[in-house]
Amino acid sequence: MISNRRTVLSAALAAVITLSVPSAFAAKPLVIGFSQVGAESEWRTANTVSIKDAAKKEGITLKFADAQQKQENQVKAIRSFIAQRVDVIAFSPVVESGWDTVLREAKRANIPVILTDRAVNVSDPSLYVSFLGSDFVEEGRRAGRWLVERQKKTPDVALNIVELQGTVGSAPALDRKKGFEEIIAGNAKLKVIRSQTGDFTRAKGKEVMEAFLKAEGKKINVLYAHNDDMAIGAIQAIEEAGLKPGKDILVISIDGVKGAFEAMIAGKLNVTVECNPLLGPQLMQIAKDVVAKKPVPKRVVTQEGVFPAEVAAKEFPNRKY
Ligand code: AHR
């Protein structure tokens, strides 16, 4: 009886000690430093939510920094993550070039770097372990292919295109331009007459479209916007100019956010090429694998579709962002 009581007492004591003294072997939560581009678009908001939610779900500590679309803020954030000795650095680079120095600093500190959403242009590919995101050139091609097909309905009519580019020097702006141009290149009836940056925002999209309309007026037949937000801003400018977006001017854009589906249902946007922002769960998995020293793919391409206005109403209830 006495010995039984003793066993119970010592078990209770052991439990108290275990709970109050942190064990050297207790699993430390993984710490990721993440530098986000900013909050420039509906897409970006969905991307941020996806990353924060996925980290929470996995019990990962996320140190989140918003770069407000400035590369210098991202460089500062990465240096601060290095100083804090985070386990993994992840970031979505505002622009493609100018990363060699800071990424070398991360490598020297033995902190793996994962790129999400956008690529970097570096001389040494070992400066990052993995790149997770869309194929932006293919997105541009998809936009171009839709227009080439549409043009076949009126083969004798030449179409003048205005292009709203994304942030200057960013991977999606460079690649979406390239992919689109590649597809329309052989078609003498399709011509880009103006192309300017709208920095991926609604406000700039509207402002630049107003300038296009002022300069070219009714000569404009097609708007190709590198994202939905700029297209939505431009749609407002087209309406204010007394024209019908989606009819007088065909509107093509990229992302597939809910706002674009609403514009398509209203007959103001003709097609959106999907770019999936829900990268959080895959990013957390790659980060966990890297820390566990498991092999990770150098490139993970997001799977995406194309949504013309004809399917918008049916697809809308399925949209997650
Ligand atoms: O890098 C992805 C792009 O950035 C999205 O198309 C755009 O909406 C965002 O701002």
Side-chain angles (χ1 to χ4, degrees):
M1 186 67 174
I2 290 177
S3 104
N4 258 358
R5 225 180 268 151
R6 263 198 205 131
T7 319
V8 172
L9 273 176
S10 32
L13 197 63
V16 169
I17 291 168
T18 316
L19 286 175
S20 54
V21 180
S23 156
F25 302 107
K28 238 179 21 125
L30 189 72
V31 181
I32 301 182
F34 184 80
S35 169
Q36 180 59 290
V37 169
E40 73 283 5
S41 62
E42 222 179 301
W43 188 100
R44 188 65 56 197
T45 306
N47 181 245
T48 294
V49 170
S50 169
I51 288 166
K52 286 185 174 172
D53 284 357
K56 203 169 168 194
K57 199 165 160 221
E58 294 288 340
I60 291 173
T61 304
L62 187 75
K63 292 177 183 283
F64 184 90
D66 179 336
Q68 298 179 335
Q69 286 188 280
K70 291 200 175 79
Q71 182 175 31
E72 71 247 37
N73 291 345
Q74 289 200 299
V75 171
K76 268 189 215 149
I78 294 171
R79 289 203 168 118
S80 138
F81 296 147
I82 297 172
Q84 294 172 64
R85 307 268 340 135
V86 299
D87 298 306
V88 174
I89 292 173
F91 78 117
S92 173
V94 176
V95 289
E96 250 186 9
S97 54
W99 297 105
D100 292 73
T101 308
V102 73
L103 293 189
R104 253 185 251 123
E105 291 167 26
K107 194 176 176 187
R108 267 200 302 273
N110 272 324
I111 302 177
V113 172
I114 302 171
L115 305 176
T116 74
D117 163 36
R118 298 183 180 179
V120 293
N121 194 350
V122 283
S123 50
D124 173 6
S126 78
L127 292 177
Y128 63 91
V129 290
S130 187
F131 166 33
L132 160 69
S134 308
D135 180 342
F136 296 136
V137 179
E138 185 54 28
E139 289 173 353
R141 289 191 194 112
R142 287 176 181 160
R145 284 189 201 112
W146 181 89
L147 183 58
V148 166
E149 282 309 305
R150 180 66 169 69
Q151 202 265 334
K152 284 181 186 162
K153 287 187 181 174
T154 51
D156 301 328
V157 182
L159 298 177
N160 292 320
I161 306 161
V162 292
E163 179 182 32
L164 279 170
Q165 295 179 37
T167 302
V168 176
S170 69
L174 296 165
D175 292 354
R176 287 171 183 170
K177 183 171 181 50
K178 188 173 161 199
F180 185 79
E181 278 172 357
E182 183 188 311
I183 297 299
I184 66 160
N187 194 320
K189 299 281 183 195
L190 299 175
K191 193 170 151 211
V192 178
I193 56 167
R194 298 234 164 205
S195 180
Q196 205 179 306
T197 181
D199 211 13
F200 282 129
T201 69
R202 275 184 202 204
K204 288 258 182 67
K206 179 169 188 268
E207 190 186 305
V208 177
M209 190 66 202
E210 280 166 358
F212 286 162
L213 285 160
K214 212 164 167 200
E216 304 290 350
K218 291 191 174 162
K219 266 167 66 188
I220 304 171
N221 309 110
V222 180
L223 162 67
Y224 168 45
H226 288 189
N227 83 343
D228 290 338
D229 279 75
M230 291 190 294
I232 291 166
I235 284 172
Q236 220 183 312
I238 296 169
E239 287 181 316
E240 284 172 14
L243 296 168
K244 288 198 174 70
K247 293 178 185 74
D248 297 329
I249 296 179
L250 298 175
V251 183
I252 305 168
S253 73
I254 298 184
D255 275 355
V257 296
K258 282 188 181 167
F261 277 76
E262 282 159 1
M264 286 195 287
I265 292 166
K268 298 177 182 185
L269 195 141
N270 302 83
V271 63
T272 185
V273 174
E274 189 180 34
C275 177
N276 189 346
L278 309 179
L279 304 176
Q282 279 168 294
L283 170 61
M284 299 309 143
Q285 189 55 52
I286 297 172
K288 285 198 301 184
D289 288 348
V290 168
V291 170
K293 307 263 181 265
K294 290 187 190 162
V296 293
K298 190 78 183 176
R299 177 76 170 106
V300 182
V301 182
T302 322
Q303 299 305 307
E304 291 148 348
V306 176
F307 297 97
E310 294 74 22
V311 304
K314 193 168 163 258
E315 281 296 328
F316 187 67
N318 305 325
R319 302 307 294 166
K320 296 201 168 49
Y321 56 91

